């Protein structure tokens, strides 16, 4: 066989096997995500209504965080009023649900479309003005818009329901395939399906010419204008798309809780989605999803144990920004090349040594915080409280001294481990770099 004939055979074989491989590379990760979403509510710990409700909240938060990252991570727009579009989408969805309860023949799974439409309309109307500027001015305008809409929820009780909000039932509707959404499992699967679809569409948006132009506007708007594109128009389209998916998340929220109130458009929700995005990492597509999962879990778990849970969430955010500026996803990506080398095994002891004093300092901080909250917010419960299996008396100075010593001693010891971690990390990265060069 000649060389040309052999080459044609090889090329034909490659072309026969390449499409499936290319398809798996492109869509394999999404198939894995779909399978995970399918089995999650049946795993231990999630097989009850509380666990499935928590998963549903995580899915809604993930859609909202991804929509916010279309502004922050992709277009470079810091918004303090993103909850406006989430809340307006929720109000539109809840009103549609009320109409369905009164006989409108629309299946409940289509209700989130109303939320997405309301978010898109609100984003187009408000975005035409707010996206004329970027940077600090845009952030301040978004804050003003958020406060304006929040005030309107009390001024227009006919639509927003005032302080009590608007309620509806997700079970009083046409039941396709006999599904009435009376169980939390059915609500979870509906939410997960919409969340997966929204994530796929938002990821596809990043691959479009408009999505790539958003990144260019984020990095250098002057150069974008120089090559013939209008940065304001790019920001407007990104803003409208982001509002659409935020409204979709609001529609899912309406179905899950069957009520939408003023807090849906409030500053606290806008701040929460900002924390999710920064904690997870705005530089990676999966970062906001990771941040939404972590923060939702922290809110659900800590609120059942302590009244100071908001303080702990704030401290967690500060620690993340200080030690992982790129977020949790950035931390994972940073370690990915090192994990493949033997140097990672030498890095683990350095991390283990640093964790011990960090835990000691954290225990001391928790003792001080819990004693402070007990005395300031719950004096009727007395000064004695149970922490880490030990009774602590906030009325004695020794408890305060012990907490302060743990914080100071643990903090100093943790600080002394930084040089060891830095040295181990340098060796690990050097070995990973050399290994990568050798493989090439």
């Amino acid at each position: 066989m000649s060389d040309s004939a052999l080459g044609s055979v090889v090329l034909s074989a490659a072309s026969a096997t390449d499409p499936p491989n290319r398809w798996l590379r492109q869509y394999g990760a999404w198939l894995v995500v779909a399978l995970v979403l399918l089995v999650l509510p049946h795993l231990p710990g999630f097989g009850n209504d509380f666990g499935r409700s928590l998963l549903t909240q995580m899915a809604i938060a993930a859609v909202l965080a991804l929509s916010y990252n279309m502004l922050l991570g992709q277009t470079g727009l810091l918004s303090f009023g993103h909850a406006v579009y989430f809340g307006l989408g929720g109000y539109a969805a809840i009103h549609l649900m009320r109409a369905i309860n009164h006989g409108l023949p629309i299946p409940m799974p289509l209700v989130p479309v109303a939320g997405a439409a309301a978010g898109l309309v609100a984003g187009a109307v408000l975005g035409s003005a707010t996206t004329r500027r970027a940077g600090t001015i845009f952030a301040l305008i978004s804050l003003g818009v958020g406060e304006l809409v929040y005030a309107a929820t009390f001024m227009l009780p006919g639509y927003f329901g005032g302080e009590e909000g608007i309620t509806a039932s997700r079970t009083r509707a046409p039941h396709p395939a006999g599904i009435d959404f009376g169980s939390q499992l059915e609500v979870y699967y509906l939410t997960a399906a919409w969340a997966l679809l929204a994530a796929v569409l938002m990821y596809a948006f990043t691959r479009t010419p408009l999505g790539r132009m958003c990144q260019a506007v984020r990095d250098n708007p002057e150069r974008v204008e120089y090559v013939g594109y209008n940065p304001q128009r790019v920001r407007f389209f990104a803003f409208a798309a982001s509002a659409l998916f935020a409204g979709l998340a609001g529609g899912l929220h309406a179905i899950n809780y069957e009520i939408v109130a003023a807090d849906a458009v409030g500053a606290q929700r806008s701040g929460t989605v900002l924390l999710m995005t920064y904690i997870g990492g705005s530089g990676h597509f999966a970062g906001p999803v990771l941040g939404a999962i972590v923060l939702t879990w922290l809110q659900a778990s800590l609120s059942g144990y302590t009244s100071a849970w908001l303080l702990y969430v704030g401290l967690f955010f500060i620690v993340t920004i200080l030690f992982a500026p790129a977020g949790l996803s950035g931390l994972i990506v940073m370690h990915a090349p090192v994990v493949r080398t033997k140097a990672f095994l030498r890095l683990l002891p350095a991390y283990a040594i640093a964790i011990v004093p960090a835990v000691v300092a954290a225990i001391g901080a928790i003792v001080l915080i819990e004693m402070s909250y007990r005395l300031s917010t719950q004096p009727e419960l007395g000064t004695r409280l149970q922490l880490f299996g030990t009774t602590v008396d906030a009325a004695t100075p020794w408890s305060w001294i012990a907490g302060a010593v743990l914080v100071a001693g643990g903090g100093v010891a943790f600080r002394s481990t930084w040089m060891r971690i830095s040295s181990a990390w340098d060796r690990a990265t050097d070995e990973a770099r050399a290994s990568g060069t050798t493989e090439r």
Side-chain angles (χ1 to χ4, degrees), residues 91 95 98 151-166:
Y91 276 111
H95 280 290
R98 289 171 66 89
T153 60
F154 301 99
M155 298 170 60
L156 303 172
Y159 182 79
F160 294 105
E163 295 182 357
E164 297 180 355
I166 303 292

Side-chain angles (χ1 to χ4, degrees), residues 196-410:
L196 181 60
L197 176 61
V200 170
L201 293 177
M202 281 186 273
Y203 181 77
F205 179 84
T206 65
R207 300 299 181 180
T208 62
L210 175 60
R212 298 189 184 279
M213 193 54 61
C214 289
Q215 299 174 12
V217 168
R218 175 198 63 195
D219 296 334
N220 197 327
E222 290 81 8
R223 180 170 294 181
V224 169
E225 191 170 9
Y226 179 77
V227 297
Y229 291 91
N230 187 340
Q232 188 274 330
R233 186 170 297 176
V234 173
R235 290 194 295 264
F236 169 77
F237 284 121
F239 190 91
S242 173
L244 182 150
F245 289 106
L248 176 66
L252 295 173
H253 170 90
I255 292 177
N256 184 47
Y257 290 101
E258 299 178 292
I259 183 173
V260 178
D263 66 291
V265 299
Q268 182 174 348
R269 193 174 298 274
S270 293
T272 300
V273 69
L274 187 149
L275 293 181
M276 290 177 182
T277 306
Y278 270 109
I279 288 173
S282 61
H284 303 88
F285 181 80
V289 177
L290 180 59
I293 292 172
V294 171
L295 195 56
T296 303
W297 177 79
L298 285 176
Q299 290 175 337
S301 58
L302 291 178
S303 60
Y305 291 99
T306 174
S307 58
W309 66 273
L310 273 175
L311 178 61
Y312 290 118
V313 170
L315 291 175
F316 179 71
F317 172 71
I318 293 173
V319 170
T320 303
I321 295 301
L322 287 176
F323 295 98
L328 299 179
S329 62
L331 202 62
I332 295 172
V333 171
M334 182 178 69
H335 281 78
V338 178
V339 171
R340 303 189 185 100
T341 66
K342 296 180 180 179
F344 181 67
L345 298 178
R346 293 191 291 272
L347 186 62
L348 290 178
Y351 283 165
I353 293 174
I355 286 176
V356 175
V359 171
V360 171
I363 291 174
I366 291 172
V367 170
L368 295 177
I369 291 171
E370 291 301 321
M371 289 194 300
S372 299
Y373 263 74
R374 172 59 65 88
L375 294 178
S376 60
T377 64
Q378 299 173 321
E380 69 279 0
L381 298 180
T383 60
R384 301 172 68 86
L385 60 158
Q386 291 288 328
L387 290 174
F388 307 108
T390 304
T391 301
V392 179
D393 191 350
T396 64
W398 297 111
S399 298
W400 296 89
I401 293 173
V405 168
L406 289 175
V407 171

Side-chain angles (χ1 to χ4, degrees), residues 53-102:
S53 176
L54 181 61
L55 290 175
T56 304
Q57 295 173 47
M58 289 178 177
I60 296 172
V63 176
L64 181 59
L66 283 173
S67 72
Y68 183 76
N69 202 46
M70 294 179 72
L71 293 179
L72 179 63
Q74 191 168 354
T75 317
L77 296 175
L78 176 63
S79 173
F80 292 126
H82 197 62
V84 166
Y85 313 99
F86 173 88
L88 292 179
Y91 276 111
I94 203 74
H95 280 290
L96 178 59
M97 289 173 64
R98 289 171 66 89
I100 293 173
N101 294 162
H102 287 86

Side-chain angles (χ1 to χ4, degrees), residues 132-157:
R132 294 181 184 275
R133 299 296 181 91
T136 304
I137 296 178
F138 172 83
L140 295 177
I141 292 175
S142 67
L143 179 62
V145 170
E147 293 301 316
L148 185 151
V149 175
Y150 181 73
T153 60
F154 301 99
M155 298 170 60
L156 303 172

